[in-house]
Amino acid sequence: MKVNIIDDNNIIVFLNKFNIKNIDFSNRENIEKNFRNIFLKLKHIYKLDIKGYYDIKIYIDKYYGAVLEIEHDDIEYIDYFDSQIDMRVNVIKDNEFLYKIDDIFLNDRIINKIDIYNFKEEYYIKIKKELNNYDMAYILENSNLIYDNITFDILKLGNKILIKDLVN
């Protein structure tokens, strides 16, 4: 689990597919139960004040796992609810995460398992076949994860680079 604390009200949590393997995203009770555990980790490990109302967007990708955008809403809560957590969860399934890279000359083992796109003078990887843990770690170490609506623009408007053009 990787955590980006944007500010007091916005947190992004990155969960790889092993962190979410027991979460049934079609079952609201299962999601809420697992999120309580995530909130407890945020509270105890990162010393965050977790209480009140949260809007949560969950972006799911079959190769990576999930990204949680957690936004705290500053609704006035009565003191009675001071230690309570309430959440509205929006699950966005079947996303295609992309990986922004600087160097398009990558490890030969993964070159046939990915597509590379050029968009606005930047390069992005789209995974098209399952990668082993080592190769996935290699991509994550050498890229920035891109998700949400921008991925649709990149895939639709970007230029796909043919692998044979890289090898020759």
Side-chain angles (χ1 to χ4, degrees):
M1 180 168 91
K2 176 182 168 186
V3 177
N4 263 356
I5 301 170
I6 308 301
D7 56 37
D8 289 343
N9 293 324
N10 295 286
I11 303 166
I12 300 175
V13 179
F14 299 88
L15 300 170
N16 66 32
K17 63 183 174 184
F18 301 108
N19 292 120
I20 65 168
K21 66 182 176 186
N22 295 324
I23 301 175
D24 177 3
F25 287 101
S26 61
N27 181 328
R28 181 144 179 92
E29 281 184 31
N30 186 268
I31 292 172
E32 289 179 2
K33 177 183 142 199
N34 282 284
F35 274 40
R36 283 187 188 93
N37 293 333
I38 291 170
F39 277 126
L40 285 173
K41 286 180 184 178
L42 293 173
K43 185 174 186 169
H44 295 293
I45 295 171
Y46 295 94
K47 308 297 184 212
L48 297 174
D49 187 25
I50 304 291
K51 61 185 175 187
Y53 181 78
Y54 292 87
D55 268 326
I56 304 171
K57 290 182 186 173
I58 307 170
Y59 299 90
I60 301 172
D61 174 74
K62 67 180 176 179
Y63 297 116
Y64 176 77
V67 174
L68 316 177
E69 288 184 345
I70 303 171
E71 181 181 356
H72 182 254
D73 198 344
D74 287 328
I75 296 173
E76 292 289 327
Y77 264 75
I78 302 172
D79 288 341
Y80 176 76
F81 297 110
D82 195 39
S83 63
Q84 298 289 323
I85 296 173
D86 193 14
M87 62 186 94
R88 182 178 64 147
V89 178
N90 184 12
V91 178
I92 304 153
K93 294 183 181 181
D94 298 324
N95 278 279
E96 294 195 70
F97 289 6
L98 300 178
Y99 305 85
K100 184 178 173 188
I101 56 172
D102 294 324
D103 184 5
I104 60 173
F105 299 101
L106 300 164
N107 185 322
D108 289 340
R109 283 197 330 265
I110 65 170
I111 205 74
N112 291 322
K113 297 179 180 180
I114 62 169
D115 287 327
I116 300 174
Y117 288 83
N118 178 279
F119 181 71
K120 294 185 178 180
E121 300 181 28
E122 302 282 350
Y123 295 100
Y124 301 88
I125 292 174
K126 175 186 169 205
I127 298 173
K128 62 181 182 178
K129 293 181 183 173
E130 194 72 35
L131 298 173
N132 63 37
N133 292 342
Y134 177 80
D135 292 338
M136 190 66 179
Y138 173 81
I139 287 177
L140 291 171
E141 187 70 28
N142 293 290
S143 68
N144 292 319
L145 182 65
I146 307 295
Y147 62 96
D148 201 4
N149 293 334
I150 186 68
T151 62
F152 300 114
D153 291 342
I154 293 167
L155 295 174
K156 184 177 177 181
L157 304 173
N159 295 317
K160 186 175 177 182
I161 297 173
L162 300 175
I163 301 300
K164 67 179 183 172
D165 293 342
L166 294 176
V167 178
N168 294 332

